[in-house]
Every structure is written in C-alpha cells, then in structure tokens.
Amino acid sequence: MRTLDRRLAALATAFVLAAVATSAALAQPTGAAPSGTTAPTGVTRSMVPAPAGTAATPNAPGTSSRAMPIAPAPTGAAAAAVPAPAPPAAATLAPPATGITRDARGDIASATASSPGIAGSYVIPAEPRADESNAVRARTQPGNNAPFWRQVRNSGNAQGTVNLPGAERGVLVQAFTQYPGSRYTTAGEAWRQVRNNWIIPYGGALIVITVFALGIFYWRRGPIGGHEPHTGRVIERFTPFERAAHWANALAFVVLAISGMVMAFGKFVLLPLTGSVLFGWLTYALKTVHNFVGPLFVVSLLVMIVGFIRSNLPARGDLHWIRRGGGLFGGAEPPSHRFNAGEKLVFWFGVLLLGLVVVASGLALDMLLPGLAYTRGDMHVAHMIHAVAAALMIAVFLGHIYLGTIGMRGAYAAMKTGYVDEGWAEAHHRYWYDDIRAGKIPAERSRRGRGGRVEQPAA
C-alpha cells in the first residue's frame, strides 16, 4: 500500500513539472533567450498579459514594455490581395554608428556615440603640429603651451615683439653658440663654462704660481745689486711728471687688481671666511670702486705710453741682455740703456698691448664705447677678453713690482725721489750712463729749458 502511494506521488510531481515547463515554453516569445540563459543587459520584458486585440512587444533598451494593437485578419478577396510575406533576410552585424566631428584642419575633434547601450560623447585629441601657434594649440589641446615655450627658447634667433626700447628686449633665451673652451649651448651658458672652467681656475693658478716663483727666487737669489760704489753724485732718472704719471697708474692698477680678484676669486676664498652679508657688501663696494677708478687708469696709462715710448724703443745690446737673462740667474748684469730689455718687454707687452686691451674691454663693459649695440653676446666677449688680459697683466706687473721694490736695491728710491747715484747708473744701465757722460743726454732733464745749469757726471 505504501509503495503504491509513493508511486502515485512521484507521478503527480512529474506531471506538475511537465505542465510548468510547457506553460513557460508557450509564454516565451520568438527570439527570446532560451531557458537557463540571461537576457542582455538593459533589456526587460513584461509578463503582464496584453489586453484583447493587442500583442505584447519586447522592450527597447532602456524603455518600459508597451502593447501594440492587432489589426483584424483580412478575409475573402482582401485576403487574396495581401501578398505573401517575404522570407526574412539574413541578419548582418553592422558596427555601431557614431557621429564624428572634424575641425577646420580636418583633424578629428570629437565623436558622439549612438550605438545601443552607449550614451554621451568623448573627445579625440588632435595631433599637435610644430608650426601652429599657441592660440591654435589652446583650442585643440587646452593646457598644452609647447608653442609658447618653443618661441621663448628660439627668441635668440627670432626676437619677440616688445614695446621697450633697447637691444635684445625681445630675447628671453639666447641663441646657441660655442666659445673657445665651451660646449655648443646657449650663449649665456657657454660664457659661464668658459669663465668657471678656464678663466677662474687657470687665471688664479697663474697668479698664485707667479707669487710663489718670486718668493722662491728672492729666497734663493736675494736682492740684486748693492755692490756698486756710492759716489754721492746723482743723476735724474725720472722727471716729476713721469713719476706722477707712474704713481697714478700704479695706484689705479693696484685698486683695480685687488677689486677684480675679489670679484673673480672672492667667492671661493673670502666668502667662507666673511659670510654672505659682509662678502656681499664688500664686493658691491669694490665693484663700484672698480668702475670709478677705471677712467683714472685709462688716462694715466695713455700718459705713460706717450711719456715712455721713446725710451723703450729697441736699441743695441737688447738681444745680448736677453741671451744673458739680464744677469738674474748669475754673472754680471749686461749693459743696457735707460731701460733694459726686460723693462722694454714689460712696456710693450704689459703696458701697451695688455693695457690697451684691458682698457678697451673695460670701457665696453661700462658701455662707454660708441658704436656698439651692447648686446649680451658683446658683453660675454668683452668680459672674457678683459678677464684673460687682466690675469696676464697682473702676472707681468707682479714681476715688475718685485724688481722695483725688494728685488733690486736702489730701484724704489729712483721712482720715489727721481734720482739715482752715478755708481748705480753705471752698474745697471751702462750705455745710458755713458751717453750722459758724453753729453748726449742731460743729467737733469726736468731743469732743461728753465735757465738752470745742467751738471754732467764727472769723467
């Protein structure tokens, strides 16, 4: 009995399941997803029965279900006139249509999506071009200012438009160039490389080596002279005018040399000792003094050149003096005229050549030379020439100062008083002394033409 009941219950359950499956199959419309699958996203279907005379239609994506009225079937002659339905065409897969917009140049500016399930629009950036202006780039790629900065970088070759007067007002970044000793880069960076990598280290080394060499020479050789007899009779070596021009030029040179070396090397030597505040005030004061003392050096240098050029012309005995090294390294001092070959080299190379180069480049840096545009490139060249010539001039004049003070006995007294003893003149400038004794040169030139009696040295 129990077995029969179990069989009847199983049969009833199977019948119910079959009925439910049949009902679901009949209720599913044609083309819907089969049982056990998921409908596409965004598609919903209504299970509400449609009213009489209507048929339910599937929903469009993102819409609610709606009912469509059913037209009555034609009968009789009307039914015969109705053409048979055409067979369904094969389904084709087409890409979703999009609305694409192009700008005036033909580049794609934006695209609007219109495919099912996609809403809104998105922007396709235009490809940048090197020849477009910053205004065009701002429309195609907002925030991209590459054309603006490209014009800034190239302003050294093509200046911008400005309303300010003066040279290079429209140049923000200088053009590329290459100075001796620098890489091919912007002019300002090339100048910095020459200054920091060549002028400062090698110029400073030259000055330091010169000082050490003179110190070693004085330690090993000592002062020159002092063995000649003192006669008590003097000869005028320098007139008051010559001494005034020399001392004015010497003092101006010392001030310019010290201030220039502080500005060039003070950052490496004085700044760690004094601190930034004191060093800043010191360099500012020395820079101002440098600019104001420069004109005094120019005038006194020209007076020196005019006043001493005749006595520094080449004469007999100069080559012999050079071959003997002037007796500085042993042996007797070779005879010479009023100025020996070493002093003449200092005059022609140190005073005339380097002096005029330093003066011309310094005037250019002060913007006092007419006819120059005074661009930054001009200032770079003027500064490099000025610094190199000044370093060489300092080294040459250090040797001159050494021999004129502690290196040779009696030399400083000659420039201080203007007179030297006959014995000193005979020992160091024998040809000059002989000309004075012969009456070719007056013994006291400053009193010539003033009615005074010129005394010649005793024979």
Side-chain angles (χ1 to χ4, degrees):
M1 189 66 180
R2 292 180 179 176
T3 302
L4 180 60
D5 293 338
R6 284 196 298 270
R7 290 179 178 178
L8 291 175
L11 183 60
T13 301
F15 178 78
V16 171
L17 292 176
V20 171
T22 302
S23 301
L26 294 176
Q28 184 176 5
T30 305
S35 177
T37 61
T38 305
T41 304
V43 179
T44 58
R45 302 194 178 278
S46 175
M47 299 303 294
V48 180
T54 62
T57 60
N59 299 340
T63 60
S64 59
S65 61
R66 54 197 178 94
M68 298 291 294
I70 301 176
T75 57
V82 175
T92 58
L93 183 60
T98 57
I100 299 177
T101 304
R102 295 182 180 271
D103 58 9
R105 301 182 310 171
D107 295 331
I108 298 176
S110 63
T112 304
S114 60
S115 58
I118 302 178
S121 63
Y122 57 93
V123 176
I124 301 176
E127 294 184 1
R129 295 181 178 178
D131 58 346
E132 62 187 5
S133 64
N134 200 66
V136 175
R137 184 66 60 86
R139 292 195 301 268
T140 59
Q141 290 186 344
N144 187 344
N145 296 322
F148 172 78
W149 294 111
R150 189 178 296 113
Q151 292 178 353
V152 170
R153 185 176 182 84
N154 295 333
S155 60
N157 298 321
Q159 295 191 25
T161 303
V162 295
N163 296 325
L164 298 176
E168 291 190 315
R169 299 298 184 182
V171 177
L172 299 178
V173 178
Q174 291 179 275
F176 274 59
T177 187
Q178 185 176 15
Y179 295 130
S182 73
R183 298 190 302 270
Y184 183 72
T185 179
T186 57
E189 175 62 19
W191 166 82
R192 190 190 68 84
Q193 292 176 6
V194 174
R195 179 185 183 275
N196 294 348
N197 298 338
W198 295 94
I199 297 177
I200 296 299
Y202 290 100
L206 175 63
I207 296 173
V208 172
I209 291 173
T210 302
V211 172
F212 272 95
L214 294 175
I216 294 174
F217 182 82
Y218 182 79
W219 172 55
R220 301 299 299 174
R221 181 71 166 80
I224 301 173
H227 307 290
E228 61 274 0
H230 185 72
T231 64
R233 296 183 298 272
V234 296
I235 300 174
E236 186 181 39
R237 181 161 174 79
F238 300 107
T239 65
F241 180 79
E242 292 173 341
R243 287 186 289 122
H246 179 274
W247 282 115
N249 187 257
L251 292 176
F253 172 79
V254 171
V255 172
L256 294 174
I258 293 176
S259 58
M261 287 190 294
V262 169
M263 289 186 288
F265 311 110
K267 179 180 178 181
F268 311 100
V269 180
L270 294 180
L271 180 59
L273 301 177
T274 61
S276 59
V277 176
L278 181 58
F279 177 74
W281 280 103
L282 179 63
T283 52
Y284 178 79
L286 290 178
K287 186 265 297 182
T288 305
V289 172
H290 194 94
N291 291 337
F292 279 96
V293 175
L296 173 62
F297 179 78
V298 173
V299 175
S300 60
L301 181 71
L302 295 178
V303 173
M304 286 276 294
I305 293 174
V306 174
F308 289 95
I309 191 171
R310 182 178 179 181
S311 299
N312 282 279
L313 294 176
R316 66 182 179 93
D318 289 343
L319 292 179
H320 177 67
W321 191 95
I322 294 175
R323 285 194 298 266
R324 295 282 303 275
L328 297 176
F329 304 99
E333 182 177 353
S336 62
H337 293 271
R338 184 187 179 197
F339 297 117
N340 58 43
E343 292 172 311
K344 291 179 180 180
L345 289 176
V346 171
F347 175 82
W348 290 104
F349 180 69
V351 177
L352 187 66
L353 178 61
L354 294 179
L356 293 180
V357 170
V358 168
V359 166
S361 57
L363 293 176
L365 291 174
D366 281 341
M367 299 184 180
L368 297 178
L369 290 180
L372 292 181
Y374 295 111
T375 62
R376 280 170 284 182
D378 296 339
M379 293 297 154
H380 293 159
V381 176
H383 176 269
M384 290 185 290
I385 295 176
H386 188 79
V388 172
L392 294 175
M393 194 175 187
I394 290 173
V396 171
F397 280 6
L398 282 175
H400 176 71
I401 293 171
Y402 166 77
L403 291 175
T405 53
I406 63 176
M408 177 176 289
R409 292 184 177 94
Y412 177 73
M415 185 54 67
K416 179 181 179 181
T417 64
Y419 293 89
V420 295
D421 189 81
E422 286 185 10
W424 187 93
E426 183 179 6
H428 297 289
H429 300 276
R430 178 60 185 269
Y431 294 151
W432 177 58
Y433 175 74
D434 292 342
D435 289 340
I436 293 176
R437 289 184 58 186
K440 297 179 181 179
I441 301 175
E444 194 172 10
R445 293 177 295 120
S446 62
R447 301 184 63 178
R448 183 177 55 181
R450 295 187 300 172
R453 185 173 63 87
V454 178
E455 298 181 357
Q456 302 297 332

